[in-house]
Amino acid sequence: MTAPGAFADLRALRACWHPVAFGRDVGSGPAQADLLGQPLVLWRGQDGQLRANSDLCVHRGTALSLGWVAGDELVCPYHGWRYRADGRCVAIPQLEDPARVPAKARIGAFRCQERYGLVWVALDEPRWPLPEVPELENGAWSLVTAGPYRWRCDAARQVENFTDFGHFPWVHPGLLGDPDRPVVPRHEVRTEGNVLHYTIVRPEAPNTDDFPVFGNAQAGPPQRHSRYELHLPYTIALRLGWGGERGMVYFFASQPLAADRCAGYVVIGRNYNLDQPDRVIQEFEDTIFGQDKVVVESQRPEQVPFDLAAELHLKFDAVAVAYRKAMRALGLATSDAAG
Ligand code: FES
Ligand SMILES: [Fe+2]
């Protein structure tokens, strides 16, 4: 794309929480993760709490994620320099006195928390807290994770695909939509701070025998009530209901790996089908995300153009329009964005 446009601003995105891994994937050894083009090393100290540092030894630029954890210290694999969670190097084994460490010997240290089964990092002081999703923490709902889904596009394209109603019957016929009912029901978007709220009541395809994942077993044509919260920039809490007791929470967050790469994490909670094996939902999600990936990776530009004039928006694209307006209003997308 050669024309000037407004795109996500990687600098502004530093001041937001982003998912970087499933917590279960950071064990006793260090793990590598990319965030906004910055390589990170994730590790757990003696207390089991997560730490996030830059994955670059200050000595010779070795990836610390290739090293190991000793007590509360991260050890570089090349010459054994040891780092604390705050980024300070505390031991240089090549010195007569290994503790005589120069003040310059330190690496980046970042805010890090573990919640909803995910590791979250903010590279700068975050402007907003994580969304509250009590259903995922009440201990009564069963939780299933899916992903991460790594796509070659920016995180905004992945988020926007998740919120795009018009494509369901076309990309997911029989699974999320009915090709005989392609009209998008009316919906209105309310923007409060960094959160877009909207609700949609949508006809859907009934459960298939292949993927009996939804709670719509009642008689009559299935109708799904979907209440969305899109927490800018890249997190969605979607609450599904079918008019009865059954509820499902679909939590989705996209990790901006770099300007044109992302990874999507799914955490699903529900208060029914408690004994259903996780793989039923996981295989369903793998199918849906696989169908979406082909289409979304073909979009050009690879990043959502936040300038409304850059694409053609119709009334049923209300969410996309509100998302673009809010991203710009909050300074998360700018026309002189860093690429
Ligand atoms: S490169 Fe890390 S200790 Fe030398
Ligand atoms: Fe989709």
Side-chain angles (χ1 to χ4, degrees), residues 38 52-56 85-87 106-110:
Q38 158 117 36
N53 293 97
S54 53
D55 191 22
L56 194 81
D86 64 2
R106 57 186 312 132
I107 55 171
F110 306 103

Side-chain angles (χ1 to χ4, degrees), residues 176-194:
L176 289 178
D178 178 349
D180 292 331
R181 289 181 292 182
V183 176
V184 174
R186 267 161 164 323
H187 57 284
E188 263 161 43
V189 183
R190 181 167 47 88
T191 304
E192 279 174 16
N194 74 315

Side-chain angles (χ1 to χ4, degrees), residues 32-219:
Q32 202 274 336
D34 284 331
L35 181 59
L36 300 167
Q38 158 117 36
L40 301 176
V41 54
L42 310 173
W43 54 291
R44 292 182 191 276
Q46 255 165 350
D47 56 2
Q49 298 292 307
L50 271 152
R51 289 109 167 64
N53 293 97
S54 53
D55 191 22
L56 194 81
C57 181
V58 72
H59 183 216
R60 288 290 179 271
T62 303
L64 292 165
S65 52
L66 295 176
W68 60 91
V69 175
D72 268 330
E73 292 163 8
L74 178 63
V75 185
C76 179
Y78 201 178
H79 309 99
W81 292 22
R82 301 165 86 95
Y83 295 91
R84 291 261 166 88
D86 64 2
R88 246 176 342 120
C89 179
V90 291
I92 297 180
Q94 289 75 20
L95 292 175
E96 211 77 57
D97 176 0
R100 285 183 62 90
V101 174
K104 267 206 208 150
R106 57 186 312 132
I107 55 171
F110 306 103
R111 290 159 202 79
C112 183
Q113 63 172 308
E114 193 167 7
R115 206 166 166 200
Y116 308 132
L118 292 165
V119 181
W120 303 83
V121 170
L123 297 175
D124 291 335
E125 179 72 34
R127 294 167 66 182
W128 305 285
L130 287 182
E132 291 299 321
V133 191
E135 297 94 325
L136 299 183
E137 296 182 319
N138 67 12
W141 288 37
S142 79
L143 305 184
V144 179
T145 59
Y149 298 103
R150 294 173 186 277
W151 290 6
R152 297 212 70 91
C153 62
D154 82 336
R157 284 283 194 207
Q158 194 175 51
V159 164
E160 191 155 277
N161 169 254
F162 190 100
T163 70
D164 179 275
F165 300 121
H167 83 283
F168 289 137
W170 305 101
V171 180
H172 315 295
L175 295 177
L176 289 178
D178 178 349
D180 292 331
R181 289 181 292 182
V183 176
V184 174
R186 267 161 164 323
H187 57 284
E188 263 161 43
V189 183
R190 181 167 47 88
T191 304
E192 279 174 16
N194 74 315
V195 188
L196 309 186
H197 300 264
Y198 51 97
T199 299
I200 201 160
V201 180
R202 197 167 58 72
E204 69 175 352
N207 277 320
T208 65
D209 291 340
D210 290 341
F211 298 116
V213 297
F214 295 123
N216 57 2
Q218 81 281 10

